[in-house]
Amino acid sequence: MAQDNNIAAGARSSEVARKTNETDIKLAFGVDGTGEVNIETDVPFLNHMLDLFAKHGQFDLKVEARGDVDIDDHHTVEDIGICLGQTLREALGDKAGIKRYASVFVPMDEALAQVIVDVSNRPHFEYRAEYPSQTVGSFSTELVHEFLWKLALESRITLHVIVHYGKNTHHMIEAVFKALGRALDEATQIDPRVKGVPSTKGVL
């Protein structure tokens, strides 16, 4: 993938290209960004969610993805989660100086979501969400779990996602992605008080 000039300007950035028999993805991610987004995938609802994630996290994100959506959206959503996780992990390097933890609540009209992260180098995912409908348009709500789990696994973070309540499935998922962006933004910020990595082990 050609280096993206806007993302390259950030101190912490990474990019990846992943091509399989099911998907062809190029993704560039900048932690220290301004929320500049360029997303082109075959899954319109995911485009919308990734846009929210990046803009609320002040991340720069570029995604070009094509997949076998004639079957369903699963492979495309899963592989974008993998690629995003890989670039997040690489961009953070040894994680020296980061805050590491964050917990963020985000309301979206009647819905309330909470995302808690620990940039721990220990992948773990907990998900508590019950949606009123199984789809938003043509997008299956079970793919939210798939995306978040692969993101947590590949970035090696501990990620807890709780949708406390809501009536509109779109609003509930939107609150999740906004909270995810804001929580990762907070957890990855450099704290000048932190010397080295924020762990008594001396390594993350």
Side-chain angles (χ1 to χ4, degrees):
M1 180 178 185
Q3 183 74 44
D4 185 271
N5 292 331
N6 294 322
I7 293 178
R12 296 177 294 173
S13 63
S14 178
E15 59 186 51
V16 66
R18 175 185 172 88
K19 187 171 184 178
T20 72
N21 291 333
E22 299 165 341
T23 62
D24 186 358
I25 297 170
K26 298 180 179 68
L27 189 149
F29 180 71
V31 176
D32 305 307
T34 59
E36 185 160 341
V37 177
N38 186 348
I39 299 170
E40 296 181 11
T41 86
D42 297 320
V43 187
F45 185 74
L46 182 63
N47 294 352
H48 179 37
M49 294 302 109
L50 290 175
D51 184 43
L52 294 169
F53 160 77
K55 287 185 177 175
H56 282 267
Q58 290 297 297
F59 303 129
D60 290 340
L61 179 63
K62 182 176 182 180
V63 184
E64 300 172 17
R66 295 292 175 261
D68 54 357
V69 294
D70 54 312
I71 298 174
D72 67 13
D73 296 339
H74 183 103
H75 296 138
T76 303
V77 174
E78 177 182 38
D79 286 5
I80 291 173
I82 288 171
C83 291
L84 182 59
Q86 289 174 346
T87 56
L88 173 59
R89 183 183 181 191
E90 184 175 325
L92 292 177
D94 64 3
K95 305 175 183 65
I98 65 168
K99 290 185 176 181
R100 177 177 168 178
Y101 295 99
S103 177
V104 172
F105 287 87
V106 165
M108 176 60 195
D109 294 351
E110 87 298 341
L112 181 66
Q114 181 183 15
V115 172
I116 307 99
V117 297
D118 175 9
V119 185
S120 60
N121 204 35
R122 294 193 307 277
H124 189 84
F125 181 48
E126 294 289 340
Y127 188 57
R128 305 287 184 269
E130 294 183 9
Y131 299 112
S133 62
Q134 295 182 342
T135 59
V136 179
S138 62
F139 184 85
S140 172
T141 58
E142 69 178 10
L143 295 180
V144 177
H145 178 282
E146 196 65 32
F147 175 86
L148 295 171
W149 164 228
K150 292 308 189 298
L151 170 64
L153 181 66
E154 295 294 333
S155 60
R156 299 189 62 83
I157 65 173
T158 293
L159 175 63
H160 292 241
V161 175
I162 305 165
V163 180
H164 290 281
Y165 46 78
K167 295 179 180 178
N168 181 288
T169 300
H170 186 136
H171 291 171
M172 296 162 78
I173 297 172
E174 183 167 327
V176 167
F177 276 82
K178 288 177 176 177
L180 176 66
R182 289 178 175 273
L184 279 174
D185 176 43
E186 183 177 334
T188 57
Q189 285 181 15
I190 300 297
D191 186 337
R193 300 170 300 173
V194 176
K195 307 303 179 186
V197 297
S199 171
T200 55
K201 295 182 178 69
V203 64
L204 284 173

